[in-house]
Amino acid sequence: MNRPRFCRWYRVIPLIAMFVLSVSTLVLYALRDSNTWKYFYPVKHEEIIVSACRRYDVDPYLAAAVIKCESNWDEKAVSHAGAQGLMQMMPATAEHLAKTGAVSAKRFDPRRLSEPEVNIEYGVCYLSMLAKQFSSRDEVIAAYNAGPTQVSAWKKDNETPIQKSITFAETGAYVTSVNQTYECYKRLYPQGIGHHD
């Protein structure tokens, strides 16, 4: 049985190529639009983030980047290790911050880590503590993922940048991801987190 003449390869391939080119052009055009990027890099709970960051002197872009990379803005997220909420706080870390008075346990009950206001308060406070302990954003991000003790061990040779000292592949990828996300948020929200242009 003969195929219809229209379906010959030399007629179909140019049509497929035109379709692929059209779709690619539409995708590239959409990706140039900042509103398209904002769909992939949203900001939620802006007032809570900005308020907590003011209290603890933390860059709101960093808090947003950590939330995006930790939970992708899923306040109900729970990791296999038991980290909870938007900033994937470990309950033991939240309890420690409450016991030391770094965070008011009366106002922010550490048992309610699935609540955005509570989770962000503890996560931002923890970022602030790490920023006081370490000298660079890369070190703070690495410590948020691997813990401050591990980052201190990696920092024994102060001449080597932390990125080159990290021996955990997951932490190295995490630092890169948070930094890239941080830059995306700065570019997409130039007036600051909470300002939608």
Side-chain angles (χ1 to χ4, degrees), residues 51-132:
S51 177
C53 287
R54 273 197 200 116
R55 263 192 301 285
Y56 297 104
D57 193 26
V58 169
D59 183 346
Y61 290 117
L62 178 58
V66 167
I67 292 170
K68 169 70 177 165
C69 293
E70 286 287 347
S71 68
N72 198 26
W73 299 96
D74 179 5
E75 57 200 57
K76 302 296 182 196
V78 179
S79 77
H80 66 278
Q84 298 177 19
L86 291 168
M87 298 190 78
Q88 289 293 276
M89 284 300 300
M90 290 297 290
T93 303
E95 288 285 349
H96 173 74
L97 293 172
K99 279 181 185 167
T100 60
V103 176
S104 167
K106 260 186 192 174
R107 186 170 170 203
F108 303 99
D109 186 340
R111 293 168 297 183
R112 297 188 346 247
L113 285 175
S114 63
E115 296 176 18
E117 187 175 13
V118 173
N119 194 279
I120 290 168
E121 188 74 16
Y122 282 99
V124 169
C125 177
Y126 189 49
L127 281 173
S128 174
M129 289 182 69
L130 294 174
K132 288 173 186 154

Side-chain angles (χ1 to χ4, degrees):
M1 182 177 197
N2 289 339
R3 285 180 297 174
R5 299 190 123 200
F6 180 76
C7 291
R8 303 290 169 123
W9 69 267
Y10 53 85
R11 289 190 178 133
V12 172
I13 288 181
L15 289 173
I16 292 171
M18 283 176 52
F19 175 76
V20 169
L21 184 62
S22 298
V23 169
S24 300
T25 303
L26 284 171
V27 168
L28 288 173
Y29 180 77
L31 291 179
R32 280 183 35 196
D33 179 28
S34 68
N35 287 327
T36 302
W37 279 104
K38 284 180 180 179
Y39 174 79
F40 295 105
Y41 291 88
V43 178
K44 302 174 184 176
H45 314 292
E46 298 96 324
E47 289 180 19
I48 296 170
I49 292 169
V50 170
S51 177
C53 287
R54 273 197 200 116
R55 263 192 301 285
Y56 297 104
D57 193 26
V58 169
D59 183 346
Y61 290 117
L62 178 58
V66 167
I67 292 170
K68 169 70 177 165
C69 293
E70 286 287 347
S71 68
N72 198 26
W73 299 96
D74 179 5
E75 57 200 57
K76 302 296 182 196
V78 179
S79 77
H80 66 278
Q84 298 177 19
L86 291 168
M87 298 190 78
Q88 289 293 276
M89 284 300 300
M90 290 297 290
T93 303
E95 288 285 349
H96 173 74
L97 293 172
K99 279 181 185 167
T100 60
V103 176
S104 167
K106 260 186 192 174
R107 186 170 170 203
F108 303 99
D109 186 340
R111 293 168 297 183
R112 297 188 346 247
L113 285 175
S114 63
E115 296 176 18
E117 187 175 13
V118 173
N119 194 279
I120 290 168
E121 188 74 16
Y122 282 99
V124 169
C125 177
Y126 189 49
L127 281 173
S128 174
M129 289 182 69
L130 294 174
K132 288 173 186 154
Q133 187 174 348
F134 298 105
S135 57
S136 74
R137 188 172 76 220
D138 282 354
E139 291 168 5
V140 170
I141 295 167
Y144 197 90
N145 178 262
T149 304
Q150 185 60 59
V151 172
S152 294
W154 286 330
K155 272 190 59 162
K156 282 184 181 171
D157 175 14
N158 285 330
E159 299 299 314
T160 307
I162 191 68
Q163 276 280 42
K164 293 185 178 175
S165 303
I166 293 170
T167 56
F168 297 167
E170 179 195 332
T171 302
Y174 180 78
V175 172
T176 300
S177 178
V178 172
N179 275 321
Q180 288 173 346
T181 305
Y182 177 90
E183 294 303 329
C184 276
Y185 276 119
K186 282 189 82 170
R187 190 174 66 250
L188 291 172
Y189 304 92
Q191 301 300 314
I193 297 298
H195 289 82
H196 299 280
D197 302 328

